[in-house]
Amino acid sequence: MVEARTSYETVIAEAEHSGEWALRAEALRRVARVHLIHGEVAAAREACAQSEEIAARNGDTLLAAEALNARGIIEMEGDVEAAREMFLRALELGGCSVELRARVEQNLGILANMQGQLEQAQIHYGCSLQAYQQANNEHGCALAYHNLGMLNADREEWDDAERHFEESRAIAERIGDLHLQGMCMLNRSEVHVARQRFEEAKHGAEAALALFDQLGAARDKSDAYRVIGVVFRETGRTALAESRLRSAIDLAAQTGSVLYQAEASRELALLYQGMGRNQEALTLLTEAHGLFGRLDARADLVDVGGKMARLEEAFLAVVRDWGRSIESADTYTFGHSERVANYAAAVAQELGLDAGEVTTVRLGAYLHDVGKIRIPHEVLNKPGRLSADEFDIIKMHPIWGLELLEGVEFPWDIKPIIRWHHEKLDGTGYPDRLRGEEIPLHAMIIGIVDVFDALTTTRSYRPALSLDVALAEMIGSRHWWRPEVYEAFCRAIPARYAAGAFGPTQLAVGPAAAA
Ligand SMILES: [Fe+2]
Ligand SMILES: [Fe+2]
């Protein structure tokens, strides 16, 4: 690379001297690419700008368009709008060249894909394919088919996805591009997984793995291991699934592939979730979350926002499942965590918290009582009122909840919710008897809706209270909550509750432990 840079620089200097402007413009554009690979963005941008200026001054629109396309690639990493503008200008100037048009359309497609604009991306990839066909560029066509297949798969257009991967694979085979062939087979396997065709999926992923192995492509082998692991998971072979997914994670980490490591971690988390290994699942999801945050959207050609959203769904699923699994031992409060989550999210929104904080509150709500799993069955399910000693046991559940989550670091700060959802403004709560501002806002939001749910559901010692009676009770206890929290609750919950916006009210029978 250093040699490449030096020789380009020599060419640039000589061309300047001899007045060969076209050669100079070309060499400047190439040296820009070398700068970019070394992370020297400013130098890369400067070289492109010079290249464009020389080409434009001499009336060579095609060469100027090439420089603009190169400049767009530089901007893709940081300034998406600037990149788009460069590509569009490149098309305007040099669109008469099918080769250039094919490449610029492809870049526009990648740009749209990165931003989650899948329809736009599809149009650009289609134009790119057409131009590559006109130019008789088979390799270009194969790439365009592959990109189209990826888009189809993202949009769950399975038939089109399979067709495009097969077109791409056939060309790749004909022109001897083994790597692309493997990629097409592996991506098609993922479509088979989505369509529950596990035998075909396994077959394709194994064939891809063999090709990647032959090529020494360790990074791609990791992705093949992931797909094989998923097939084992989905067909109930958990030990094999765990082993393959672990290999996928290790290989991805060794080869520095943040994307593949994150994807494989997410898949292993789903396996653990299915096995009830919730802590491990959450630890892996947290790792995946950190990894996705480090993704380089340009290099990985992915829609990071979309991936992050799907990962957050996985978090919510694990946490919700775990919260529910506790309720099955305590049928009297069945559905409690789900209702608390819905009420709490509404109050958080009413308080004007941002989307990340609403997620924090929702996740915290699902797990706020997770420590109850350690409460002895006979205490948790005792008919009638609890003795003081028994209530002391109940009071341990926030502390036990935190112990269960020890070693699990969340991307969202939910531990304060678990520990302090029973604290009260006047210092009469538990377990730490916090007062006033010491109680975190998120914990207090859960605290108030937790009381509301306890009042409006059946307990061992009384039937569910009507909305009016429950609200009257809460007025009597309003000194437990900060005024803004109480007021947000009053605005967000009662009217919607009465209108049935939170689903049918639960009809529980039998005793209930204090929630
Ligand atoms: Fe609780
Ligand atoms: Fe609760």
Side-chain angles (χ1 to χ4, degrees), residues 368-369 397 421-422 450 515:
H368 76 283
D369 280 336
H397 80 270
H421 69 276
H422 286 290
D450 195 25

Side-chain angles (χ1 to χ4, degrees), residues 105 108-114 117-126 148 151:
E105 288 286 3
L108 281 166
I110 292 168
L111 205 62
N113 203 357
M114 276 164 53
Q117 299 163 349
L118 302 187
E119 223 156 302
Q120 280 301 316
Q122 204 158 15
I123 293 169
H124 288 303
Y125 287 148
L148 280 168
L151 261 184

Side-chain angles (χ1 to χ4, degrees), residues 203-327:
H203 190 74
E206 281 167 347
L209 178 64
L211 272 181
F212 295 144
D213 190 50
Q214 192 184 327
L215 293 168
R219 194 179 260 245
D220 299 305
K221 274 171 75 176
S222 138
D223 211 30
Y225 270 121
R226 173 179 63 82
V227 176
I228 293 170
V230 168
V231 170
F232 283 138
R233 182 189 69 203
E234 295 303 308
T235 49
R237 286 167 284 180
T238 49
L240 280 169
E242 184 175 8
S243 163
R244 295 300 176 268
L245 290 170
R246 279 273 166 220
S247 301
I249 293 171
D250 291 347
L251 258 180
Q254 279 163 29
T255 54
S257 172
V258 175
L259 175 64
Y260 290 166
Q261 195 185 343
E263 303 259 39
S265 301
R266 195 179 64 99
E267 299 298 353
L268 185 58
L270 294 177
L271 173 71
Y272 286 154
Q273 179 197 8
M275 297 166 79
R277 290 161 67 174
N278 295 303
Q279 283 101 324
E280 287 160 283
L282 289 174
T283 300
L284 277 166
L285 286 176
T286 301
E287 277 168 27
H289 194 269
L291 290 165
F292 277 137
R294 279 171 41 206
L295 271 186
D296 174 348
R298 189 189 60 84
D300 293 305
L301 306 187
V302 289
D303 163 20
V304 178
K307 290 211 172 279
M308 213 58 151
R310 278 194 291 280
L311 188 72
E312 291 182 8
E313 275 168 33
F315 255 104
L316 216 58
V318 174
V319 163
R320 179 187 278 150
D321 246 34
W322 195 6
R324 278 190 192 147
S325 74
I326 294 143
E327 288 167 358

